[in-house]
Amino acid sequence: MDAEVFLTHSSISEGDVQDRTVVVIDVLRACSTIVTALDRGARAVLPVLDMAQAGKLATNLDPDVYRLGGERGGEKIEGYHLGNSPREYTEESVEGRDVILNTTNGTRALAQATEADHLVAACFLNAGQVVNFIQRHTDAVTIVCAGHRNRPSLEDTLCAGLLLDRLWEGEEPYPVTDSAHTAHTLYHTDREDLDTALRGANHAEQLASQGYEEDLDYCFRIDAMSALPYYTENRLRLYENISD
Ligand code: MLT
């Protein structure tokens, strides 16, 4: 499996994703929220680049069927229905609805990768489904980690390393790109006590200090969900429903 890894989304261009199978990772918390929203029955999640795009989409939708969700600095945006804690995305709040999601890094990374041949959202929760999808569809994957504040983040890099380890069945191929080697090596270093490593990540510590400790317990569960968010027609939907 040929693998290209971007450790932050800030440097990607259209050419990096065109004609590729692209996996966008944002463990804390956008992709964990997207996986949860679809698992809880949301019809679709529309990932946006910024406030303006979110507002524009919202004005064109029936107010009864959409929910506006997202964060700035980790906190709910004023006037939005929901923040970016996956635990807010219950059946009661999202079932049968479209969610417009506006986050600092995760939805921006997704919105920058829409020219991909196939585009899926990944996190620890749905790692197994993502690996199955890649194995069925391609022998060359591009993994885009959302990162945090334009820098690599430990949790996204470790999740990329876990995906690569499964795709490569534990054995790194040669040749390998530097960034894929970095993610895979880091995963090997930390995998014996992954939970402790993840909780020491800068973004995890920030969320804990804001009172979101339970989001860490939630987002760091590996293979806890089977939802595979797949991008088509400007939105992420469950891959199993795409032919509907
Ligand atoms: C982001 O997109 O930057 C994150 O999802 C931020 C957060 O943890 O809410």
Side-chain angles (χ1 to χ4, degrees), residues 7-41:
L7 296 173
T8 78
H9 75 281
S10 15
S11 59
I12 63 164
S13 66
E14 240 177 53
D16 294 322
V17 297
Q18 242 159 11
D19 305 322
R20 302 277 299 182
T21 293
V22 176
V23 174
V24 168
I25 298 175
D26 187 9
V27 172
L28 297 176
R29 295 166 291 176
C31 291
S32 301
T33 294
I34 292 166
V35 166
T36 302
L38 292 178
D39 183 74
R40 302 291 185 248

Side-chain angles (χ1 to χ4, degrees), residues 9 26-31 33 70-75 83-85 101-109 146-149 155 203 206-207 210 212 215:
H9 75 281
D26 187 9
V27 172
L28 297 176
R29 295 166 291 176
C31 291
T33 294
E71 57 68 42
R72 285 296 178 270
E75 302 295 354
N84 191 33
S85 167
L101 192 64
N102 174 11
T103 74
T104 316
N105 301 284
T107 63
R108 207 169 275 170
H148 189 53
R149 298 190 175 136
E155 67 280 7
H203 192 183
Q206 181 202 311
L207 287 171
Q210 289 174 277
Y212 293 113
D215 281 2

Side-chain angles (χ1 to χ4, degrees), residues 60-207:
N60 291 323
L61 289 174
D62 173 352
D64 290 338
V65 299
Y66 80 84
R67 283 288 173 266
L68 204 42
E71 57 68 42
R72 285 296 178 270
E75 302 295 354
K76 180 160 93 79
I77 298 167
E78 206 184 318
Y80 278 31
H81 303 102
L82 299 161
N84 191 33
S85 167
R87 293 176 303 115
E88 291 176 63
Y89 289 71
T90 58
E91 279 175 21
E92 202 184 4
S93 62
V94 299
E95 193 172 20
R97 296 189 159 113
D98 291 329
V99 176
I100 301 168
L101 192 64
N102 174 11
T103 74
T104 316
N105 301 284
T107 63
R108 207 169 275 170
L110 284 158
Q112 284 174 332
T114 56
E115 292 302 314
D117 203 10
H118 298 286
L119 172 59
V120 298
C123 54
F124 284 114
L125 295 171
N126 71 344
Q129 290 299 323
V130 172
V131 168
N132 287 342
F133 177 86
I134 299 167
Q135 281 168 334
R136 283 204 308 270
H137 287 87
T138 188
D139 53 13
V141 65
T142 296
I143 298 176
V144 177
C145 297
H148 189 53
R149 298 190 175 136
N150 295 325
R151 295 167 179 81
S153 70
L154 187 59
E155 67 280 7
D156 292 345
T157 309
L158 285 170
C159 187
L162 168 83
L163 298 182
L164 292 172
D165 197 59
R166 290 181 174 185
L167 290 166
W168 292 337
E169 293 172 0
E171 204 162 310
E172 194 168 289
Y174 183 85
V176 64
T177 61
D178 291 352
S179 49
H181 174 68
T182 302
H184 190 233
T185 304
L186 190 66
Y187 172 70
H188 265 258
T189 304
D190 284 345
R191 71 178 170 172
E192 292 306 326
D193 195 358
L194 200 56
D195 197 68
T196 303
L198 289 167
R199 280 167 202 277
N202 296 163
H203 192 183
E205 287 184 340
Q206 181 202 311
L207 287 171

